[in-house]
C-alpha cells in the first residue's frame, strides 16, 4: 500500500465492539484485568494505551521502521535517544540543528558524561575528521532549521557505519511523505510530531522510529522515565496524519511559489529554499526528497531592525514560534526559536526570518509578504 493509504488505515481498523471508524480516545489510566497476572494487552496507561499504540503503528509504517515509540514532545523523544548512550560516549551533531536539540545535549547530557562536537555535516571531510573511537551517534537534520541546508543521508550513513556509529535523522521538516531516512541508511528517525505530522498547531508530541531491538530499549525508557503522550494528544496526532500527503503537497507548492517570488525582491538579500535551482543542496534534495517542503528562510535588507519590522507587519503570517501547521507563521530565529544558541557556533544571522508556509491561498500569502516587505 502507498503511504497516503497507510496514513489512514495502518493501526486504525474500526473499533471491534462498536464499529467506530475512528480510533477512540482511551481516556483511562488503568485497565481491568481478568485474572491476577493476566491482562488484555494493557495494564497501566504510562506503559501502554490503545490510542497511543495506533499512533505508534501508523508512524512505524510511514517511516518503514520495525516500530515507533511515542513521547510527550520531540525533545522528550530526543532525550530517550541520548539515554541509550553511556558516559564517555561521543556524538557528532550538525552545526545548525534545532536550538533545543543543541541546548539539551550541551546543557543536560554533557553533565552526565556525553561529549558532543558540532560540525557542518554537509562537509564530509570535516565530519570524518571529527569521528573518534568513542563516537556513537551522528545527528543529522535535513532540511535543517532554520538555514534549510540539505545533508547527504546516504553518505553520512556510510561514514558513520564505517566507524561503528549510528545515524539519527531528525525528519521533522521533511516528514516521511517527503523523505524516508531509514531507506537512505539512517538508523533512527526522530520527529517532533508537533509540526507537520500533527499539522494543525494544536498538540505537542514526539516519536522515534527504528529497528525492533533499539525500539525495545526506547520503550523501556518510555515507561521507566515516563515522558508519554496522553491519549488525546495521540488522537490529535493520528487525526493530523491522515491528511499528511495532501497537506504536504500544498505546503510544497505554496513555499515554492513564495521562494521564487521573493528571490528578486529588492528588500530581500537571500532566500533559502531547497526547491530553488540556486540552492546549494538543490540536486541532493531532488534526489533524496519527493518535494522540497514548506519552510522558507530569507535575509532581509537593512539588518535586524528591518527583519523585526517585516515579522511584525505580516497579517496572515502570524508572528509565532513552531511550524508545520495549516496556518502560515513567521518568526525571527535569532531572537525567538534559536535564542538558546546565541553566542555559540550555531548562532544564526540576525537579519534572518523563517517562514512556515501554510496551506492558505498562495496569492493571499504572497500579497501579505509583499505588503510587509514594502
Ligand atoms: C520543534 C522541533 C524539535 C523539538 O520538538 P518539540 O515537540 O518542540 O519538543 C526538534 N527538532 C526539530 C527540527 C523541530 O522543529
Amino acid at each position: 500500500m502507498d503511504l497516503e493509504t497507510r496514513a489512514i488505515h495502518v493501526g486504525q481498523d474500526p473499533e471491534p465492539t462498536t464499529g467506530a471508524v475512528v480510533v477512540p480516545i482511551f481516556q483511562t489510566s488503568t485497565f481491568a484485568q481478568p485474572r491476577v497476572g493476566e491482562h488484555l494487552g494493557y495494564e497501566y496507561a504510562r506503559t501502554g494505551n490503545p490510542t497511543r499504540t495506533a499512533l505508534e503503528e501508523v508512524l512505524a509504517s510511514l517511516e518503514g521502521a520495525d516500530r515507533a515509540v511515542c513521547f510527550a514532545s520531540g525533545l522528550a523523544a530526543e532525550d530517550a535517544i541520548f539515554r541509550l548512550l553511556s558516559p564517555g560516549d561521543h556524538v557528532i551533531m550538525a552545526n545548525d540543528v534545532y536550538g533545543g536539540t543543541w541546548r539539551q545535549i550541551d546543557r543536560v547530557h554533557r553533565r552526565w558524561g556525553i561529549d558532543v562536537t558540532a560540525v557542518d555535516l554537509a562537509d564530509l571531510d570535516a565530519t570524518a575528521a571529527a569521528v573518534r573511537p568513542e563516537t556513537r551517534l551522528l545527528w543529522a537534520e535535513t532540511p535543517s532549521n532554520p538555514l534549510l541546508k540539505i545533508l547527504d543521508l546516504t553518505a553520512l550513513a556510510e561514514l558513520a557505519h564505517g566507524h561503528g556509529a549510528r545515524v539519527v535523522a531528525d525528519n521533522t521538516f521533511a516528514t516521511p511523505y517527503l523523505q524516508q531516512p531509514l531507506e537512505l541508511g539512517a538508523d533512527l528517525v526522530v520527529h517532533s510530531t508537533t509540526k507537520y505530522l500533527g499539522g494543525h498547531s494544536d498538540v505537542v508530541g514526539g516519536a522515534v522510529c527504528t529497528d525492533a531491538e533499539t525500539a525495545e530499549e526506547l520503550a523501556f525508557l518510555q515507561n521507566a522515565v515516563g515522558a508519554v503522550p496522553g491519549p488525546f494528544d495521540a488522537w490529535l496526532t493520528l487525526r493530523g496524519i491522515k491528511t499528511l500527503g495532501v497537506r504536504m503537497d500544498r505546503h510544497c507548492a505554496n513555499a515554492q511559489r513564495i521562494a521564487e517570488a521573493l528571490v528578486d525582491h529588492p528588500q530581500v538579500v537571500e532566500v533559502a529554499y531547497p526547491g530553488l535551482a540556486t540552492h546549494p543542496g538543490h540536486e541532493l534534495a531532488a534526489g533524496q526528497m519527493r518535494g522540497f517542503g514548506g519552510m522558507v528562510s530569507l535575509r532581509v535588507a537593512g539588518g535586524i531592525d528591518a527583519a523585526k519590522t517585516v515579522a511584525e507587519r505580516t497579517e496572515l503570517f502570524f508572528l509565532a514560534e513552531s511550524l508545520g501547521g495549516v496556518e502560515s507563521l513567521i518568526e525571527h530565529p535569532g531572537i525567538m526559536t534559536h535564542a538558546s544558541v546565541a553566542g555559540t557556533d550555531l548562532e544564526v544571522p540576525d537579519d534572518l526570518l523563517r517562514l512556515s508556509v501554510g496551506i492558505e491561498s498562495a496569492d493571499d500569502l504572497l500579497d501579505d509578504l509583499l505588503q510587509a516587505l514594502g
Side-chain angles (χ1 to χ4, degrees), residues 101-134:
T101 302
W102 178 257
R103 178 179 56 196
Q104 184 182 104
I105 192 161
D106 186 45
R107 298 191 42 201
V108 179
H109 299 291
R110 239 197 237 279
R111 292 173 55 216
W112 301 97
I114 306 296
D115 201 4
V116 58
T117 310
V119 181
D120 176 4
L121 296 189
D123 182 341
L124 292 173
D125 293 333
T127 308
V131 176
R132 303 181 196 161
E134 57 278 13

Side-chain angles (χ1 to χ4, degrees), residues 23-367:
V23 174
I25 304 166
F26 285 93
Q27 193 68 45
T28 185
S29 62
T30 191
F31 300 84
Q33 305 186 16
R35 305 176 67 85
V36 174
E38 268 178 41
H39 58 76
L40 304 171
Y42 295 93
E43 302 153 87
Y44 182 63
R46 168 165 33 74
T47 319
N49 173 289
T51 317
R52 190 175 93 201
T53 302
L55 176 60
E56 291 176 337
E57 287 180 2
V58 71
L59 281 172
S61 169
L62 299 188
E63 287 290 1
D66 291 340
R67 186 172 168 192
V69 185
C70 287
F71 294 90
S73 69
L75 286 181
E78 297 186 0
D79 176 71
I81 295 174
F82 292 127
R83 285 174 196 267
L84 299 172
L85 304 176
S86 300
D89 287 350
H90 175 240
V91 177
I92 295 177
M93 189 167 272
N95 64 358
D96 61 344
V97 285
Y98 176 72
T101 302
W102 178 257
R103 178 179 56 196
Q104 184 182 104
I105 192 161
D106 186 45
R107 298 191 42 201
V108 179
H109 299 291
R110 239 197 237 279
R111 292 173 55 216
W112 301 97
I114 306 296
D115 201 4
V116 58
T117 310
V119 181
D120 176 4
L121 296 189
D123 182 341
L124 292 173
D125 293 333
T127 308
V131 176
R132 303 181 196 161
E134 57 278 13
T135 303
R136 294 286 170 271
L137 292 181
L138 210 150
W139 191 286
E141 193 182 304
T142 181
S144 72
N145 177 14
L147 299 173
L148 302 166
K149 275 197 217 163
I150 303 295
L151 301 178
D152 185 341
L153 287 172
T154 308
L156 289 171
E158 215 166 278
L159 177 78
H161 296 163
H163 291 89
R166 295 197 287 176
V167 171
V168 179
D170 185 332
N171 207 26
T172 298
F173 270 38
T175 81
Y177 181 71
L178 299 181
Q179 177 170 270
Q180 300 266 292
L182 298 178
E183 209 170 88
L184 295 166
D187 304 280
L188 299 94
V189 169
V190 66
H191 275 287
S192 169
T193 56
T194 314
K195 315 295 169 53
Y196 289 105
L197 288 168
H200 297 74
S201 305
D202 52 13
V203 63
V204 170
V208 187
C209 307
T210 186
D211 63 275
E213 197 182 324
T214 309
E216 187 68 41
E217 292 177 61
L218 290 166
F220 169 79
L221 288 164
Q222 181 192 41
N223 183 49
V225 178
V228 294
F232 186 51
D233 289 0
W235 185 87
L236 281 170
T237 311
L238 269 174
R239 179 180 163 125
I241 285 173
K242 294 181 202 206
T243 54
L244 180 67
V246 288
R247 284 187 289 109
M248 291 316 293
D249 284 343
R250 182 63 168 260
H251 282 296
C252 291
N254 282 0
Q256 183 79 35
R257 170 95 190 281
I258 285 171
E260 285 173 5
L262 293 185
V263 137
D264 295 321
H265 193 284
Q267 289 304 111
V268 174
V269 178
E270 193 183 334
V271 176
Y273 183 64
L276 295 175
T278 49
H279 186 284
H282 177 69
E283 293 298 317
L284 194 53
Q288 78 183 11
M289 298 174 76
R290 136 150 127 179
F292 301 105
M295 301 300 295
V296 177
S297 290
L298 61 142
R299 296 181 68 175
V300 177
I304 182 166
D305 291 330
K308 280 163 70 176
T309 303
V310 173
E312 289 170 2
R313 255 201 229 161
T314 55
E315 285 165 11
L316 287 178
F317 280 82
F318 297 141
L319 175 58
E321 299 194 4
S322 199
L323 60 114
V326 292
E327 63 286 290
S328 294
L329 304 178
I330 188 166
E331 66 118 1
H332 186 282
I335 298 174
M336 296 170 66
T337 48
H338 289 62
S340 61
V341 295
T344 71
D345 289 351
L346 288 82
E347 190 168 279
V348 295
D350 66 4
D351 57 2
L352 188 79
L353 293 175
R354 188 188 74 181
L355 307 177
S356 174
V357 180
I359 65 170
E360 302 96 329
S361 139
D363 288 337
D364 291 338
L365 294 179
L366 204 48
D367 283 349

